[in-house]
Amino acid sequence: MKRLFAALSITACAVTALAGGMAPGSAHAQDFQPAIVFDMGGKFDKSFNEAAYAGAERFKKESGIEYREFEVTQEAQREQALRNMARRGANVVVGVGFAQASAMGKVAQEFPDTKFCIIDSVVEAPNVQSITFKEHEGSFLVGMMAAMASKTGKVGFVGGMDIPLIRNFATGYQQGVKHANPQAEVFQNMTGTTPAAWRDPTRGGELAKSQMDRGADVIYAAAGGTGLGVLQAVTDNKKLSIGVDSNQNHLHPGSVLTSMIKRVDVAVHDCMKSAKEGTWASGSRVLGLKEDGVGYAVDEHNQSLVTDDMKQKVEAAKARIIAGELQVQPYKQ
């Protein structure tokens, strides 16, 4: 009977552990529970959200701790998702995207003992860490590359939702283009003014086609899932594209000139890791070239497109920007 009772007790403990979301033997993970709320477009958008996902996955791999997650599909879900994560005991909650700012401001006030991190916006609260990026600096470098790779002297930019954040990509890109070729022409289109602008690859392809019809032979897409349509249209027309946020060179090898990498993965990983280790701090962090928060990608998929001369000139400009000798102006409303 004692053996039977012991066996039943072990089984009961295992059921209790599973009901709490933890596997038997992973009690250490109960001491720390991170969570992440992805924004519209989904965690596999091959761009912004996916970079955040990569950061969370890296934390899980290094620590052995699972994280809770939610993918927002409707605007009203943001506040509810953040609140549910905090209510369920998450120690730190990451909100991916500027659109989570308002919701996080409310929820952070309701749960003062929970740590929050927001990517791409600023929420001023004692329990919130805000991480933003100098997109204009990274975009300057890929703008230089676009101008140097262009044979027509005409290049394009397709943005997603028309907001200051995306205008920041565009203004940095234009400065980089003009730095490399003052006579170059830059075409610019935004996809829309609502969140639907992030997930309309068909429209992205149409905008890219219209720019190519006007002579653009290199097009930079900063449009989330919509950008996938831009990259596809450019490939179909045997021109060059530039990816964004994640390294998108592999999506169309030999057609993607480079990708402007925005290290959202590092921001998410560091947020979770610092919260676990007790080094997390509230306030604002701004990541640019100096902090390795933005950059450009060269790998086996695009190395034949990027000449040594291009790399030397871009690296020289990068060094000057980091040293403060070359000023890249952000977008001003």
Side-chain angles (χ1 to χ4, degrees), residues 235 248-256 300-302 305:
T235 300
Q248 297 183 318
N249 296 353
H250 67 283
L251 297 180
H252 299 282
S255 178
V256 181
E300 69 273 21
H301 302 297
N302 73 330
L305 303 173

Side-chain angles (χ1 to χ4, degrees), residues 141-209:
L141 299 184
V142 301
M144 285 184 64
M145 295 174 75
M148 288 187 282
S150 176
K151 296 176 181 178
T152 63
K154 298 177 181 180
V155 301
F157 175 89
V158 176
M161 189 175 174
D162 191 355
I163 52 174
L165 174 67
I166 299 303
R167 292 280 176 183
N168 204 36
F169 283 88
T171 192
Y173 178 66
Q174 184 161 12
Q175 289 173 73
V177 170
K178 295 292 187 179
H179 181 80
N181 179 6
Q183 284 73 47
E185 192 172 356
V186 183
F187 305 133
Q188 180 177 307
N189 292 102
M190 297 293 177
T191 306
T193 57
T194 69
W198 303 119
R199 52 186 192 280
D200 193 349
T202 300
R203 180 61 177 155
E206 292 171 351
L207 292 172
K209 182 67 166 58

Side-chain angles (χ1 to χ4, degrees), residues 251-329:
L251 297 180
H252 299 282
S255 178
V256 181
L257 175 63
T258 187
S259 296
M260 200 292 276
I261 297 177
K262 183 171 164 178
R263 301 308 302 271
V264 176
D265 57 331
V266 173
V268 171
H269 169 269
D270 290 356
C271 172
M272 291 183 174
K273 184 182 180 196
S274 62
K276 177 179 179 292
E277 294 178 346
T279 58
W280 184 96
S282 61
S284 296
R285 296 174 62 206
V286 183
L287 308 179
L289 288 174
K290 186 176 182 179
E291 297 78 19
D292 198 27
V294 293
Y296 66 98
V298 177
D299 56 25
E300 69 273 21
H301 302 297
N302 73 330
Q303 59 187 5
S304 63
L305 303 173
V306 182
T307 66
D308 289 340
D309 181 59
M310 287 169 64
K311 279 190 279 191
Q312 288 171 7
K313 289 178 178 175
V314 169
E315 284 299 311
K318 177 181 176 181
R320 290 183 62 206
I321 293 169
I322 291 172
E325 299 169 2
L326 176 58
Q327 298 292 325
V328 184
Q329 299 302 319

Side-chain angles (χ1 to χ4, degrees), residues 62-290:
E62 290 177 357
S63 67
I65 297 175
E66 297 281 344
Y67 58 89
R68 292 194 174 111
E69 62 177 278
F70 185 83
E71 295 180 66
V72 170
T73 57
Q74 300 174 27
E75 290 193 62
Q77 292 177 325
R78 294 189 183 101
E79 186 175 328
Q80 181 183 10
L82 292 169
R83 184 176 289 111
N84 283 345
M85 294 300 187
R87 186 179 289 141
R88 292 174 66 189
N91 303 88
V92 62
V93 182
V94 182
V96 181
F98 73 97
Q100 309 236 28
S102 177
M104 185 171 288
K106 294 179 184 177
V107 177
Q109 207 169 24
E110 296 172 19
F111 296 88
D113 295 330
T114 301
K115 296 176 176 66
F116 294 86
C117 289
I118 186 161
I119 310 294
D120 264 359
S121 191
V122 175
V123 174
E124 295 184 359
N127 57 332
V128 177
Q129 182 182 108
S130 305
I131 304 109
T132 54
F133 298 82
K134 294 180 180 179
E135 297 89 1
H136 52 294
E137 290 187 349
S139 296
F140 182 95
L141 299 184
V142 301
M144 285 184 64
M145 295 174 75
M148 288 187 282
S150 176
K151 296 176 181 178
T152 63
K154 298 177 181 180
V155 301
F157 175 89
V158 176
M161 189 175 174
D162 191 355
I163 52 174
L165 174 67
I166 299 303
R167 292 280 176 183
N168 204 36
F169 283 88
T171 192
Y173 178 66
Q174 184 161 12
Q175 289 173 73
V177 170
K178 295 292 187 179
H179 181 80
N181 179 6
Q183 284 73 47
E185 192 172 356
V186 183
F187 305 133
Q188 180 177 307
N189 292 102
M190 297 293 177
T191 306
T193 57
T194 69
W198 303 119
R199 52 186 192 280
D200 193 349
T202 300
R203 180 61 177 155
E206 292 171 351
L207 292 172
K209 182 67 166 58
S210 71
Q211 292 183 357
M212 288 185 284
D213 288 344
R214 296 167 65 191
D217 58 355
V218 185
I219 300 178
Y220 179 24
T226 297
L228 300 180
V230 175
L231 270 56
Q232 183 64 61
V234 171
T235 300
D236 292 344
N237 285 270
K238 296 180 170 54
K239 307 297 183 185
L240 295 174
S241 62
I242 296 175
V244 77
D245 292 338
S246 295
N247 183 351
Q248 297 183 318
N249 296 353
H250 67 283
L251 297 180
H252 299 282
S255 178
V256 181
L257 175 63
T258 187
S259 296
M260 200 292 276
I261 297 177
K262 183 171 164 178
R263 301 308 302 271
V264 176
D265 57 331
V266 173
V268 171
H269 169 269
D270 290 356
C271 172
M272 291 183 174
K273 184 182 180 196
S274 62
K276 177 179 179 292
E277 294 178 346
T279 58
W280 184 96
S282 61
S284 296
R285 296 174 62 206
V286 183
L287 308 179
L289 288 174
K290 186 176 182 179

